[in-house]
């Protein structure tokens, strides 16, 4: 082992930070032997240094100012594990400007400011590593940028939020209520500090943006995506979906049309046929299917949130950072569209974001209607007028008096026709509750 000591500063010692502290401390000797250096957990910054924590941090190592770690010339690697896009951005930029390596788990920051962070790293001579930002302990960033570097990616889709998958799984299997399950997800350290990021789909969208960047070299921001969360899904939907042969999963879907040079990024609850691998990825687990033109489909499954899984990903970045510091060996850079065009000496074709209404899918519609003669015919007429073909209908008694729940599935249609259908259904006097629209995802694996 060389006599070199690598000094690490953790900005944030919450769920993830404490996991990193705990596992780096426990496995220090093995990591030091593998990497050939001494590792010093030099400092940690927190908001409240008096808070009782599960890890013991020696006096003098705990500070209240994360910027002091980012700018400390004796710190080699800064781990930003606070979250948010305010102070976290300042800390990350300060460290990158100072030429340091930043390891981050912050997907919201990357989606919002990824281009600026990479530009700051290039300018300041720093590096930005972010394995923990997508899919917890699954090394999906490494897979896309290293293992699958030979491929072009027509389709990437998957379950990217552990909290939502945990909630949907327990709602389906136990019939437990949503508030209780969400409280458990928070207690277990799966949910974001602001849990609306999870359940409204934004966290999945941030992760989809990062995967789209890795696969296609462009940053897609959330206003250019469809982003629907799981808050409208009821236990009844999960039951009806199961009767129809599906599970409901919150999926990110990233589709590239190479002929038109277009990209779609969308996030929505999706009915997945029960015999598909992803329909059986349950609890806090995430699952991602990546279709490469050379390798075919590869699928990755593992814990997508929580202290230990996320610490595993952060420590893998720390190990890459140490290799870079000691040998100069860098990880494979992201292949930007401009970079690839330059390599091949072809003009850069700007990648367009496809109009979202062009998405084609089969659909599930749940609505509550007055239980009167002729109502089903009215619904069918509205759908027919919009060119939407019904595949199946289930009618059951609704909780309201003299009302019925209607669950329809359609043959393949497009977003534009479905939105027009939903608006028209919402205007019918016989429809007593706003209809819910879910997509049916029949991706071949
Ligand atoms: P957390 O438990 O809320 O921890 C946040 C930490 O940051 C706490 O130690 C907090 O200090 C510190 N902090 C917050 N604001 C600060 C400030 N102004 N000054 C100094 N310290 C400050 O969050 P987490 O779950 O560990 O998540 C951290 C990051 O990892 C987020 O970006 C999150 O999206 C990401 N992530 C989380 C998971 C997961 O499963 N939890 C998985 C992947 C990625 P106090 O302890 O004193 O409050
Ligand atoms: N809140 C996130 C989730 C943490 O539940 O997936 C992991 O990124």
């Amino acid at each position: 082992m060389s006599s070199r000591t690598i000094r690490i500063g953790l900005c944030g010692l919450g769920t993830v930070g404490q996991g990193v502290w705990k596992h780096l401390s426990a496995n220090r000797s093995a990591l030091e032997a593998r990497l050939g250096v001494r590792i010093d957990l030099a400092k940690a910054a927190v908001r409240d240094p008096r808070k009782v924590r599960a890890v013991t941090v020696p006096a003098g190592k705990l500070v209240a100012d994360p910027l002091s770690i980012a700018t400390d010339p004796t710190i080699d690697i800064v781990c930003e594990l606070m979250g948010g896009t305010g102070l976290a951005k300042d800390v990350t930029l300060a460290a990158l400007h100072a030429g340091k390596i930043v390891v981050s788990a912050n997907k919201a920051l990357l989606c919002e400011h990824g281009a600026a962070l990479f530009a700051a790293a290039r300018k300041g001579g720093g590096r930005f590593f972010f394995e923990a930002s997508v899919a917890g302990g699954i090394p999906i960033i490494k897979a896309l940028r290293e293992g699958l570097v030979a491929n072009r990616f027509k389709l990437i889709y998957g379950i990217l939020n552990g909290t939502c998958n945990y909630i949907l799984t327990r709602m389906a299997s136990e019939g437990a209520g949503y508030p209780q399950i969400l409280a458990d997800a928070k207690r277990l350290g799966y949910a974001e500090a602001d849990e609306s990021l999870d359940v409204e789909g934004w966290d999945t969208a941030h992760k989809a943006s990062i995967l789209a960047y890795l696969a296609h070299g462009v940053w897609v921001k959330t206003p250019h995506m469809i982003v629907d969360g799981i808050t409208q899904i009821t236990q009844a939907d999960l039951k009806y979906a199961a009767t129809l042969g599906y599970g409901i999963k919150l999926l990110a879907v990233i589709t590239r049309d190479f002929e038109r040079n277009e990209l779609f990024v969308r996030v929505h609850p999706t009915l997945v046929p029960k015999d598909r691998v992803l329909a059986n990825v349950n609890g806090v687990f995430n699952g991602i299917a990546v279709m490469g033109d050379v390798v075919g489909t590869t699928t990755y499954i593992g814990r997508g949130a929580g202290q230990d899984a996320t610490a595993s990903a952060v420590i893998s970045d720390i190990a890459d950072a140490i290799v870079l510091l000691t040998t100069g060996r860098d990880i494979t850079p992201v292949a930007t569209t401009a970079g690839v065009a330059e390599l091949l000496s072809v003009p850069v074709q700007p990648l367009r974001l496809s109009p979202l209404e062009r998405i084609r899918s089969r659909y599930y519609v749940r609505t509550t209607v007055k239980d009167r003669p002729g109502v089903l015919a009215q619904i069918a007429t509205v759908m027919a007028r919009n060119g939407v073909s019904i595949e199946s209908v289930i009618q059951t008694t609704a909780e309201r008096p003299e009302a019925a729940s209607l669950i329809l599935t359609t043959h393949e249609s497009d977003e534009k026709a479905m939105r027009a259908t939903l608006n028209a259904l919402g205007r019918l006097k016989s429809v007593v509750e706003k209809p819910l629209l879910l997509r049916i995802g029949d991706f071949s694996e």
Side-chain angles (χ1 to χ4, degrees):
M1 187 185 306
S2 88
S3 57
R4 181 157 182 194
T5 298
I6 301 293
R7 284 169 54 83
I8 299 170
L10 302 187
C11 296
L13 205 57
T15 301
V16 181
Q18 291 187 73
V20 173
W21 190 283
K22 180 176 74 175
H23 291 292
L24 259 186
S25 304
N27 298 338
R28 186 195 314 260
S29 317
L31 279 166
E32 288 180 339
R34 261 193 207 178
L35 296 164
V37 293
R38 294 198 186 287
I39 297 172
D40 181 13
L41 276 167
K43 279 186 182 171
V46 293
R47 193 168 20 206
D48 177 5
R50 283 164 306 177
K51 198 188 262 184
V52 178
R53 293 172 204 276
V55 296
T56 311
V57 180
K61 289 200 170 192
L62 209 54
V63 299
D65 176 13
L67 274 167
S68 69
I69 293 184
T71 54
D72 180 339
T74 70
I75 298 283
D76 301 291
I77 301 170
V78 175
C79 299
E80 189 280 288
L81 307 173
M82 298 186 298
T85 54
L87 181 61
K89 182 183 173 203
D90 298 341
V91 165
T92 303
L93 286 175
L96 293 173
H97 285 142
K100 294 186 191 301
I101 301 178
V102 176
V103 170
S104 175
N106 192 333
K107 49 269 165 153
L109 181 67
L110 256 166
C111 174
E112 246 344 272
H113 301 291
L117 298 180
F118 287 112
R122 273 194 303 276
K123 196 165 168 215
R127 288 287 198 289
F128 187 72
F129 293 176
F130 49 99
E131 184 62 69
S133 65
V134 183
I138 304 174
I140 187 64
I141 308 281
K142 237 185 209 316
L144 280 176
R145 77 196 281 173
E146 296 181 27
L148 300 177
V149 72
N151 292 267
R152 297 199 307 168
F153 305 103
K154 198 174 161 195
L155 175 65
I156 299 174
Y157 66 98
I159 300 164
L160 301 181
N161 186 274
T163 301
C164 290
N165 208 36
Y166 175 80
I167 292 173
L168 290 173
T169 303
R170 281 192 57 194
M171 277 173 74
S173 62
E174 293 171 24
Y178 176 91
Q180 176 57 50
I181 305 173
L182 176 59
D184 287 346
K186 292 184 80 147
R187 184 177 47 77
L188 291 164
Y190 301 158
E192 297 300 304
D194 170 4
E195 74 258 15
S196 67
L197 290 170
D198 295 297
V199 296
E200 290 177 7
W202 302 112
D203 179 77
T204 303
H206 296 150
K207 292 165 175 166
S209 172
I210 296 167
L211 294 185
Y213 172 69
L214 286 164
H216 305 294
V218 291
W219 285 107
V220 182
K221 301 241 172 124
T222 53
H224 299 288
M225 305 177 190
I226 289 177
V227 183
D228 291 342
I230 63 163
T231 52
Q232 306 300 314
I233 308 287
T234 62
Q235 266 155 348
D237 291 313
L238 289 154
K239 201 179 75 197
Y240 297 135
T243 306
L244 292 163
Y246 299 97
I248 300 182
K249 298 291 176 188
L250 182 68
L251 290 191
V253 184
I254 302 160
T255 326
R256 173 82 183 261
D257 181 334
F258 285 100
E259 275 165 26
R260 289 177 188 260
N261 201 25
E262 284 184 352
L263 185 64
F264 282 118
V265 184
R266 53 196 167 107
V267 171
H268 46 68
T270 310
L271 274 74
V272 182
K274 271 186 199 159
D275 60 354
R276 296 296 155 81
V277 173
L278 290 194
N280 298 291
V281 172
N282 289 319
V284 74
F285 281 70
N286 283 187
I288 309 159
V290 180
M291 285 186 196
D293 60 345
V294 180
V295 71
T297 301
T298 54
T299 307
Y300 307 82
I301 296 171
R303 282 193 167 73
Q307 183 167 80
D308 297 336
T310 313
S312 167
V314 171
I315 294 170
S316 97
D317 273 349
I318 291 175
D320 277 348
I322 292 174
V323 171
L324 175 60
L325 288 168
T326 54
T327 68
R329 202 173 78 227
D330 207 347
I331 54 176
T332 318
V334 176
T336 61
T337 311
V340 171
E342 193 182 307
L343 266 179
L344 301 176
S345 301
V346 293
V348 180
Q349 298 291 339
L351 186 54
R352 285 191 304 270
L353 301 178
S354 310
L356 295 168
E357 59 269 21
R358 259 222 311 272
I359 290 167
R360 292 192 67 77
S361 178
R362 290 167 56 228
Y363 294 87
Y364 163 106
V365 180
R366 179 200 8 107
T367 186
T368 307
V369 296
K370 290 181 183 160
D371 198 1
R372 302 227 179 105
V375 170
L376 195 52
Q378 281 177 9
I379 306 269
T381 304
V382 165
M383 295 185 101
R385 273 203 200 116
N386 286 285
V388 175
S389 166
I390 296 172
E391 186 198 32
S392 72
V393 182
I394 300 176
Q395 179 172 339
T396 64
T397 319
E399 280 173 12
R400 308 174 166 228
E402 295 177 31
S405 290
L406 275 187
I407 295 90
L408 302 119
T409 62
T410 74
H411 291 291
E412 193 172 280
S413 182
D414 63 45
E415 274 309 288
K416 199 171 170 189
M418 284 313 296
R419 283 179 193 195
T421 303
L422 243 58
N423 286 337
L425 287 179
R427 286 194 296 271
L428 290 179
K429 287 210 172 64
S430 51
V431 171
V432 293
E433 230 170 62
K434 194 170 167 247
L436 171 80
L437 180 78
L438 300 177
R439 287 114 188 141
I440 299 176
D442 219 349
F443 313 107
S444 53
E445 282 164 359

